[in-house]
């Protein structure tokens, strides 16, 4: 009796599986576990995660890591995925010239035009000239209302901009009703004696004058040339409930198209394509190119830097003389990124066009033997590098009840989407495609403007709900659930993620429907595109109809909606497609680790 | 027929004027009506709980001296939604705003 451990190092997760091999060669599986991969896949830093996962697995059955007699490492495919985001357009406002935001409670309604007058200069105002009053937070709503009421006979105050959240309080105390915008944090940046137009929308509506270039032109008396330059401002104010536009003499707004650079494909049919042609054109070019030897970017452009950075990272793994590092695949995805407008006053953002890119780097070989040697020294257990990843994944996938050869597996991980077809004779065809779970997280992070990768990962993993009262919430599919014990008031009125250990609160105020559509779209863009790309490459005669069964394995196959999306897409091709269930118990995870243990039985003398 | 304006109830026991004023300002900014009633009670939790249960909107505030608490109908008396012993100005505004947001079903401040 001996304990055999299989270890699978992935881009993001390290999985282990431990089985007992009897004298007759039968394998009896005992335990499995997984941990986040430490360091880049294929480096000695991986040993930390391997040890942690082994300890976790062995403690499940109350035994020690030293009881293991053999550890089998997979010969990891020498491919590493990396992702990057490239913005293609940008909006620059020189000289502060706009505020557009959604304070929860602005007051009054309508538009007003006037010269900016600071509250402390109120006494210096002259009659018969319209003013927009700007008031910092240190004045109370009573003081403001009192002063405005006092001067209302002599001065023409047309509208008010407040720093504090007191618009309704001030308006309720005014004799003459005015549009009032509040919660303008950087009120100190407002230049005095400059013409400004403000607008507050009626309840339930959004502004319509300041989100229209001709509306701004009407209010601020702009000529045709000035109207053209103000268009990006109008565009970025669409959908807001209140806005301020300033007419600064030197002010200028530019919408730049950034030089994104060209991508060179060194392939069967070498060609090049400009990044700003968009994802669709780029992917067409990648498909037309045939077998790709290497991909590079135009030097001194963003894409050039990005691709060479990925290659440099890879060359640190394999520093041998004959290291042979190539980018063999990219996946480009169109996206919109909310980018902070440089020059805006209240942290406004503008949706800019962007392209998300995942690249796949291939080297001659990963230094797996070095990992094996380190592990052997540190654990004092025999370690062997065994088996090709795709074959092992196939062996593991076959333990799913209801599967038989020939079989296609689609391994959807964090860094890459891999496909393999195993024929009845056991011959394996495989491919590795750039783009998987990490690209989805990056798309979610940018499109929602989260600036927080961890939160994006959580959004990817869990369904949403909106807490509508302390005793019920509405799930994203429209269902309602009621709870006995009142929900913590911290979650009241918020969008939350439903995780195994309770709720995670969305800090940003984004409607649930928007998050759901961004999340689903990101998954569709990456996984549906890649599933077809990958399977077409490995299918006999490149014909999808020749594939009858697809088993989905890997971390992203655990996702609560990706497998269903793929099932729907594959239904048209009469392909049986479903989430794998390794050993009938593990779900789609642990296929490679299981395959490694199983293959031990076959290799024994 | 008795017609009452739907409003947040504020039950007070010798309230601090500044605390009361800023809590009211917090509610007013959110655009909801409120009614203030004097009441005698053992604790600020009691005041808030009674106010919440008497208010047809189900949102009530108790103020006793400097202490203030926000309560909603259906929540245990000992567990007010929000409570302060001696709140500062912004905490008072926040408590008032949250009393209103509890009715509007928007996220608390």
């Amino acid at each position: 009796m001996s304990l055999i451990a299989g270890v699978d190092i992935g881009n993001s997760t390290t999985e282990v599986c431990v089985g007992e091999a009897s004298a007759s060669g039968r394998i009896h599986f005992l335990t499995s576990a997984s941990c986040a991969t430490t360091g880049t896949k294929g480096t000695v830093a991986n040993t930390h995660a391997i040890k942690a996962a082994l300890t976790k697995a062995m403690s499940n059955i109350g035994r020690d890591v030293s009881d293991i007699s053999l550890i089998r490492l997979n010969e990891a495919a020498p491919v590493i995925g990396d992702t990057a985001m490239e913005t293609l357009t940008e909006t620059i406002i020189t000289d502060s010239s706009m505020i557009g935001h959604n304070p929860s409670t602005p007051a009054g309604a309508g538009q007003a035009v006037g010269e900016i007058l600071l509250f402390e200069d109120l006494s210096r105002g002259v009659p018969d000239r319209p003013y927009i009053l700007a008031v910092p937070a240190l004045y109370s709503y009573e003081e403001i209302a009192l002063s405005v009421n006092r001067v209302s006979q002599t001065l023409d105050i047309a509208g008010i901009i407040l720093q504090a959240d007191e618009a309704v309080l001030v308006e309720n105390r005014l004799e003459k009703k005015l549009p009032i915008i509040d919660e303008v944090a950087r009120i100190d940046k407002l230049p005095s004696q400059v013409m400004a137009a403000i607008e507050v929308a009626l309840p339930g509506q959004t502004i319509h004058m300041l989100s229209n270039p001709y509306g701004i032109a009407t209010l601020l008396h702009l000529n045709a040339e000035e109207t053209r330059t103000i268009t990006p401002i109008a565009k970025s104010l669409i959908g807001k409930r209140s806005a301020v536009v300033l007419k600064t003499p030197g002010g200028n707004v530019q919408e730049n198209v950034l030089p994104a650079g060209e991508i060179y494909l060194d392939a069967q049919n070498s060609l090049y394509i400009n990044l700003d042609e968009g994802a669709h054109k780029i992917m067409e070019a990648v498909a037309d190119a045939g077998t790709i030897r290497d991909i590079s970017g135009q030097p001194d452009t963003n894409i050039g830097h990005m691709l060479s950075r990925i290659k440099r990272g890879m060359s640190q793994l394999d520093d041998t003389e004959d290291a042979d590092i190539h980018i063999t695949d990219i996946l480009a995805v169109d996206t919109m990124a909310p980018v902070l407008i440089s020059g805006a006053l209240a942290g406004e953002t503008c949706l800019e066009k962007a392209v998300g890119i995942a690249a796949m780097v291939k080297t001659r070989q990963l230094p797996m033997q070095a990992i094996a040697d380190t592990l052997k020294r540190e654990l004092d257990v025999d370690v062997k590098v065994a088996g090709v990843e795709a074959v092992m994944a196939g062996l593991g996938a076959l333990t799913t009840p209801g599967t038989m050869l020939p079989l296609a597996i689609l391994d959807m991980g964090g860094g890459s989407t891999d496909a393999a077809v195993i024929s009845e004779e056991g011959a394996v065809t495989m491919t590795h495609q750039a783009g998987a779970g990490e690209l989805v997280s990056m798309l979610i992070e940018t499109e929602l403007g989260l600036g927080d990768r961890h939160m994006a990962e959580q959004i990817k993993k869990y369904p949403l709900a909106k807490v509508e009262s302390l005793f019920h919430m509405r799930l994203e599919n429209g269902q309602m659930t009621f709870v006995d014990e009142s929900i913590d008031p911290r979650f009241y009125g918020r969008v939350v993620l439903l995780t195994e250990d309770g709720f995670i609160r969305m800090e940003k105020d984004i409607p649930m429907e928007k998050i759901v559509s961004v999340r689903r779209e990101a998954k569709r863009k990456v996984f549906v595109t890649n599933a077809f790309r990958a399977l077409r490459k490995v299918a006999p005669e490149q014909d999808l109809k020749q594939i009858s069964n697809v088993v989905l394995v890997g971390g992203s196959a655990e996702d609560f909606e990706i497998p269903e999306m793929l099932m729907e897409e594959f239904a048209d091709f009469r392909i049986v497609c479903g989430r794998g269930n390794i050993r009938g118990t593990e779900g789609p995870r642990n296929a490679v680790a299981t395959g490694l243990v199983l293959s031990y039985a076959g290799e024994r003398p | 027929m008795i017609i009452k304006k739907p409003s947040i109830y504020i039950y007070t026991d010798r309230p601090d004027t500044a605390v009361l004023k800023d809590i009211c300002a917090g509610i007013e900014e959110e655009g909801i009506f409120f009614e203030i009633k004097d009441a005698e009670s053992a604790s600020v939790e009691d005041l808030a709980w009674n106010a919440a249960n008497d208010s047809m909107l189900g949102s009530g505030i108790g103020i006793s001296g400097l202490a203030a608490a926000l309560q909603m109908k259906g929540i245990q008396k000992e567990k007010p939604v929000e409570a302060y012993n001696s709140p500062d100005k912004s905490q008072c505004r926040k408590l008032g705003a949250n009393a209103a947001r509890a009715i509007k079903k928007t996220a608390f401040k």
Side-chain angles (χ1 to χ4, degrees):
Chain A
M1 291 295 210
S2 50
L3 290 185
I4 311 297
V7 175
D8 170 27
I9 307 161
N11 260 306
S12 31
T13 316
T14 297
E15 291 173 9
V16 302
C17 160
V18 180
E20 198 172 25
S22 67
S24 64
R26 284 186 64 86
I27 302 276
H28 173 57
F29 288 99
L30 296 174
T31 174
S32 57
S34 67
C35 265
T37 298
T38 45
T40 313
K41 168 174 142 182
T43 57
V44 175
N46 295 161
T47 49
H48 299 288
I50 299 174
K51 280 189 279 182
L54 283 173
T55 312
K56 206 154 116 190
M58 292 305 278
S59 71
N60 282 346
I61 52 169
R63 306 209 24 194
D64 199 73
V65 177
S66 58
D67 296 343
I68 300 175
S69 45
L70 174 65
I71 296 172
R72 290 166 69 83
L73 283 184
N74 70 318
E75 176 69 74
V79 290
I80 291 184
D82 201 354
T83 55
M85 181 67 65
E86 206 48 71
T87 325
L88 299 180
T89 54
E90 69 173 352
T91 306
I92 300 169
I93 300 178
T94 49
D95 265 11
S96 50
S97 42
M98 60 160 275
I99 300 169
H101 71 159
N102 286 329
S104 52
T105 52
Q111 315 104 32
V113 182
E115 201 175 278
I116 296 274
L117 180 66
L118 303 181
F119 189 70
E120 49 267 42
D121 299 337
L122 194 59
S123 55
R124 278 184 243 159
V126 268
D128 299 325
R129 187 184 289 180
Y131 287 110
I132 304 282
L133 201 59
V135 194
L138 57 109
Y139 300 98
S140 79
Y141 58 94
E142 282 158 324
E143 274 175 90
I144 301 165
L146 200 69
S147 307
V148 173
N149 283 338
R150 202 175 53 226
V151 300
S152 67
Q153 296 303 318
T154 50
L155 288 186
D156 178 8
I157 306 284
I160 303 176
I161 305 172
L162 298 177
Q163 189 175 24
D165 179 14
E166 297 187 335
V168 180
L169 288 165
V170 171
E171 205 226 8
N172 285 349
R173 285 161 183 76
L174 289 184
E175 287 154 8
K176 195 178 124 205
K177 296 304 172 200
L178 302 171
I180 306 176
I181 293 176
D182 60 356
E183 295 179 67
V184 176
R186 304 306 310 272
I187 200 148
D188 53 307
K189 279 200 164 181
L190 280 178
S192 73
Q193 295 173 330
V194 158
M195 286 303 280
I198 74 172
E199 179 175 7
V200 175
L202 284 166
Q205 296 188 9
T206 56
I207 54 166
H208 60 273
M209 277 301 266
L210 294 185
S211 57
N212 169 6
Y214 301 121
I216 300 177
T218 314
L219 292 172
L220 292 176
H221 307 291
L222 303 182
N223 62 29
E225 180 56 27
E226 289 167 324
T227 307
R228 207 174 55 77
T229 62
I230 207 113
T231 308
I233 289 191
K235 200 179 91 187
S236 62
L237 291 177
I238 292 171
K240 300 284 186 264
R241 290 185 56 204
S242 73
V244 180
V245 174
L246 306 178
K247 191 182 179 187
T248 44
N252 195 5
V253 185
Q254 290 173 324
E255 198 175 28
N256 285 355
V257 175
L258 300 172
E262 283 168 347
I263 302 173
Y264 306 119
L265 305 173
D266 174 13
Q268 258 173 335
N269 315 307
S270 292
L271 37 85
Y272 66 92
I273 177 131
N274 201 307
L275 194 61
D276 55 23
E277 301 237 17
H280 189 69
K281 284 274 169 61
I282 297 174
M283 291 320 292
E284 264 177 23
V286 170
D288 290 345
T291 310
I292 295 174
R293 282 184 292 273
D294 193 18
I295 300 174
S296 56
Q298 191 175 351
D300 290 321
T301 62
N302 289 331
I303 182 73
H305 291 310
M306 180 194 135
L307 293 177
S308 62
R309 195 191 64 231
I310 294 174
K311 278 188 199 170
R312 214 169 30 247
M314 191 72 181
S315 63
Q316 283 162 1
L317 299 188
D318 187 358
D319 48 10
T320 49
E321 274 294 303
D322 52 352
D324 188 18
I325 292 155
H326 295 305
I327 296 182
T328 51
D329 186 37
I330 55 170
L331 176 68
V333 177
D334 278 327
T335 175
M336 297 295 275
V339 176
L340 210 63
I341 298 172
S342 41
L345 285 184
E348 294 88 346
T349 56
C350 189
L351 273 186
E352 307 282 5
K353 247 182 88 178
V355 175
I357 288 196
M360 164 76 68
V361 195
K362 211 170 198 156
T363 171
R364 207 169 38 83
Q365 199 182 10
L366 284 177
M368 297 305 291
Q369 196 54 49
I371 302 178
D373 293 343
T374 312
L375 210 56
K376 193 172 186 169
R377 204 169 49 242
E378 290 179 5
L379 290 177
D380 198 23
V381 174
D382 213 10
V383 183
K384 196 174 168 216
V385 180
V388 178
E389 189 166 339
V391 180
M392 292 302 127
L395 261 180
L398 270 173
T399 62
T400 298
T403 55
M404 57 173 279
L405 292 175
L407 181 74
I409 58 167
L410 196 58
D411 184 348
M412 302 183 292
S416 67
T417 304
D418 306 334
V421 167
I422 307 168
S423 72
E424 268 162 286
E425 298 78 42
V428 178
T429 324
M430 58 182 164
T431 182
H432 304 278
Q433 307 275 311
E438 277 160 27
L439 183 61
V440 174
S441 302
M442 187 180 75
L443 289 175
I444 294 175
E445 182 189 345
T446 24
E447 291 194 19
L448 295 177
L450 297 171
D452 176 356
R453 177 60 62 88
H454 181 68
M455 192 66 201
E457 305 248 342
Q458 306 283 346
I459 290 176
K460 180 177 77 179
K461 275 212 259 219
Y462 299 110
L464 298 159
K466 171 140 192 178
V467 180
E468 292 191 330
S469 84
L470 291 174
F471 294 97
H472 86 275
M473 55 192 167
R474 186 168 300 275
L475 308 183
E476 64 173 64
N477 61 5
Q479 277 177 5
M480 292 245 260
T481 48
F482 288 79
V483 291
D484 289 335
E485 187 83 358
S486 72
I487 299 167
D488 189 327
R490 281 186 303 127
F491 299 118
Y492 185 83
R494 300 242 180 205
V495 175
V496 295
L497 297 168
L498 304 171
T499 75
E500 305 89 353
D501 345 297
F503 300 153
I504 297 178
R505 189 170 91 163
M506 278 293 300
E507 293 302 328
K508 269 193 117 185
D509 186 18
I510 311 171
M512 185 162 72
E513 294 72 23
K514 162 97 179 162
I515 305 175
V516 171
S517 80
V518 165
R519 184 193 72 209
R520 292 186 63 93
E521 215 29 59
K523 287 176 180 174
R524 195 174 290 280
K525 278 181 200 163
V526 174
F527 282 110
V528 174
T529 316
N530 255 352
F532 278 102
R533 249 167 29 106
L535 286 177
R536 210 164 257 141
K537 277 216 175 124
V538 294
E541 294 155 42
Q542 268 71 55
D543 181 8
L544 276 186
K545 293 222 163 90
Q546 305 262 6
I547 292 177
S548 58
N549 293 288
V550 178
V551 176
L552 306 174
V553 298
S556 297
E558 266 182 330
D559 188 272
F560 64 100
E561 55 192 356
I562 293 172
E564 280 81 359
M565 278 180 192
L566 291 177
M567 270 183 245
E568 279 170 24
E569 298 287 336
F570 284 131
D572 300 343
F573 294 86
R574 298 178 164 274
I575 294 174
V576 180
C577 163
R579 189 187 273 134
N581 194 8
I582 310 301
R583 289 184 264 131
T585 54
E586 295 289 306
R589 282 226 188 242
N590 218 272
V592 176
T594 300
L596 281 166
V597 175
L598 281 176
S599 66
Y600 170 75
E603 274 178 29
R604 283 181 347 141
Chain B
M1 195 168 79
I2 305 164
I3 298 172
K4 271 167 96 183
K5 260 204 294 199
S7 45
I8 296 168
Y9 281 10
I10 304 175
Y11 285 2
T12 59
D13 186 4
R14 280 158 292 161
D16 179 78
T17 44
V19 169
L20 179 61
K21 187 173 160 228
D22 277 312
I23 287 178
C24 294
I27 302 175
E28 185 184 337
E29 175 64 25
E30 297 287 323
I32 306 252
F33 303 119
F34 55 88
E35 273 176 48
I36 304 168
K37 246 202 251 176
D38 274 329
E40 265 184 39
S41 189
S43 70
V44 69
E45 283 85 8
D46 269 354
L47 287 170
W49 195 79
N50 290 336
N53 281 286
D54 293 350
S55 156
M56 75 162 82
L57 295 175
S59 172
I61 291 172
I63 309 174
S64 174
L66 279 169
L70 164 62
Q71 187 57 280
M72 288 162 78
K73 200 183 267 178
I75 293 188
Q76 286 169 300
K77 195 183 280 190
E78 307 78 50
K79 288 188 190 165
V81 176
E82 206 176 339
Y84 300 101
N85 270 327
S86 163
D88 62 25
K89 185 176 157 175
S90 68
Q91 285 170 327
C92 289
R93 287 283 180 94
K94 189 165 141 280
L95 188 96
N98 285 347
R101 286 175 178 219
I103 296 159
K104 296 204 275 187
K105 299 200 188 240
T106 50
F108 285 165
K109 267 192 173 177

